Structure formats: C-alpha cells, structure tokens
Amino acid sequence: MAPINPEYAKLWTTGVLWTLQIILDGRGTFFLWRLWKGKVPTDDLWIRGGYMVVSKYWCFLEPQEDSFQHLFLTCDTATRVWKTFLQSANLVLNLVQVHQVIRAWWNAKCYPKLKPLFQAAPAVIAWELWKRRNTMKNGVAVSCNWVIHEVNKTLHYPARVRCPWLSKIPLLWPEMISFFDGYKPYMVTKRVTWQLPYEGWFKCNTDGASRGNPRPILYGFCV
C-alpha cells in the first residue's frame, strides 16, 4: 500500500472540512481537494480535455483566456483579496502557485484557536473567487470589496460557532486575529470539600455529567 501524502491529510483536517460544510451547505465539500488537484473546471481545463471552448475571463473588457492560474492568483481581484488576508495574518509571499499559497496558510504560526481558521482560509478565499467568476459569467457584476466582505463573513461564522462563550468576536479578519492573539481565558476556581451526611442519611459519591444532554439520564448506587 502506498503511503498517504501528508498534504492530502491536511485537506481533510476537521477545521477545514467542517467549515466547508457550513459554507457550501454540504454541496461542495470536495472543493479544496479539486482546487489542490487543479480540477476546478475553468476554460483551460476544458480545452486541455479536447473540448472546443470560446474562452473569456469575465471581469475584463478586453478578451483574455479564463485560466486556473489567472482566476485564483494573477487577476487583480484575486491578488488584492489574497494580499488583504495574508498581510493581516503576517504572511508575506509572492503569489506564484496555488499550492504555495495554501501551504503558507497551513504552516503559519498562530494562536491555537486561529489554526482551524488559517487552515480554512485558502478554501474560503478560492471559493469566493470561484463564485464571483460564475456570477459575473451570468451577467451580474461583483466587486472585489464584496468578495472581501463575504470572506470576512464566512470566517467569522465558524469562529463564533467554535467559541460560543466569546460574544464579541470582531467581524473583520485583522481585528479577529488581534482579538484571538490577545485573548486570555478567565479562570474561575472553586474549593470543593467532602462533608459528612446528616445523621440517618447515606451519601454516595459518583462522577459523570450530562451537561447539554436534554434527554433523561440514569445513575445507580449500592449501599
């Protein structure tokens, strides 16, 4: 049996997969895998497959070929969106290859609570770029600022779900990073001592919990 590529394992990390389920409502869980494999159906992929395609990149007045590299990295919108989120995360790199950008997010050093968001960020950004391309192909204009807004909103949602006890998580990505970097948990300690039962009573100590379980529970003891 061939060894599993460790980078393939990262594609299915809980933080990434769970976030994509939220974003795509279960319809596109494999988008990041397709992105990694270069299987997103841009026009250049169809052409390499032998299909006759009249290719056009939809955000330019002058005709340009709709290609994987152009869509996800080199067009003005993609470059601006990537740099907006990379700079906030203190990641500096030249946008040369999709794999290189994804690895930069995966290997970034960050606060542990941010790690799942860093793992999900490249999939979220690429997904919003893909949505923009398809929306514009159907005649509806989508601005770069709208893409940035949607990425912010999508990354904010799983942050709230993963940390429901934090009620004031900022919406914007730079502020979210600063919030988690400066977060210090509030510790509450309580002294618990064993006390003798009242006269004529028996006391049985047990462990276990049912917090968050709305159904009936059962425990047993023997005296």
Side-chain angles (χ1 to χ4, degrees):
M1 182 181 294
I4 298 176
N5 188 325
E7 290 183 330
Y8 285 178
K10 289 184 179 180
L11 294 176
W12 308 107
T13 302
T14 302
V16 175
L17 184 60
W18 175 79
T19 305
L20 287 180
Q21 286 282 19
I22 295 172
I23 300 164
L24 310 182
D25 195 23
R27 293 171 295 172
T29 304
F30 299 101
F31 181 76
L32 182 58
W33 179 84
R34 296 181 71 179
L35 181 72
W36 184 264
K37 298 287 288 184
K39 299 297 184 181
V40 179
T42 50
D43 289 350
D44 58 333
L45 181 64
W46 289 107
I47 292 171
R48 290 199 304 269
Y51 294 91
M52 298 295 293
V53 177
V54 178
S55 182
K56 174 185 175 183
Y57 190 66
W58 295 93
C59 70
F60 279 89
L61 296 177
E62 298 180 2
Q64 292 194 19
E65 183 182 90
D66 176 40
S67 67
F68 181 89
Q69 187 79 358
H70 189 249
L71 171 63
F72 291 112
L73 279 185
T74 60
C75 76
D76 292 341
T77 297
T79 300
R80 181 180 166 191
V81 173
W82 281 116
K83 288 186 176 180
T84 296
F85 289 90
L86 285 167
Q87 289 172 359
S88 300
N90 292 321
L91 297 175
V92 180
L93 67 156
N94 295 320
L95 301 177
V96 177
Q97 191 184 43
V98 171
H99 287 181
Q100 164 223 16
V101 178
I102 296 175
R103 288 190 188 103
W105 283 101
W106 284 348
N107 299 324
K109 295 181 179 180
C110 61
Y111 186 75
K113 290 191 179 300
L114 282 169
K115 193 65 177 177
L117 299 181
F118 272 48
Q119 290 175 296
V124 175
I125 293 171
W127 173 248
E128 292 300 332
L129 292 172
W130 177 245
K131 280 172 54 181
R132 177 179 184 269
R133 177 259 194 190
N134 294 334
T135 302
M136 295 188 72
K137 191 172 182 179
N138 287 283
V140 180
V142 180
S143 68
C144 180
N145 289 334
W146 177 255
V147 175
I148 293 173
H149 167 75
E150 288 297 295
V151 175
N152 271 313
K153 184 176 71 173
T154 304
L155 290 174
H156 181 256
Y157 180 78
R160 288 193 297 109
V161 174
R162 294 183 67 90
C163 304
W165 63 90
L166 300 176
S167 58
K168 297 182 179 180
I169 300 176
L171 175 61
L172 299 180
W173 178 247
E175 298 172 5
M176 196 187 309
I177 291 178
S178 299
F179 175 82
F180 281 109
D181 282 340
Y183 171 71
K184 294 182 179 179
Y186 180 68
M187 304 297 294
V188 177
T189 60
K190 181 180 179 181
R191 183 179 180 184
V192 179
T193 59
W194 192 87
Q195 296 179 350
L196 289 170
Y198 297 111
E199 185 177 353
W201 287 71
F202 295 96
K203 175 182 281 191
C204 293
N205 294 333
T206 184
D207 61 352
S210 61
R211 181 179 179 182
N213 177 14
R215 294 168 295 193
I217 61 171
L218 177 70
Y219 65 93
F221 59 90
C222 179
V223 176

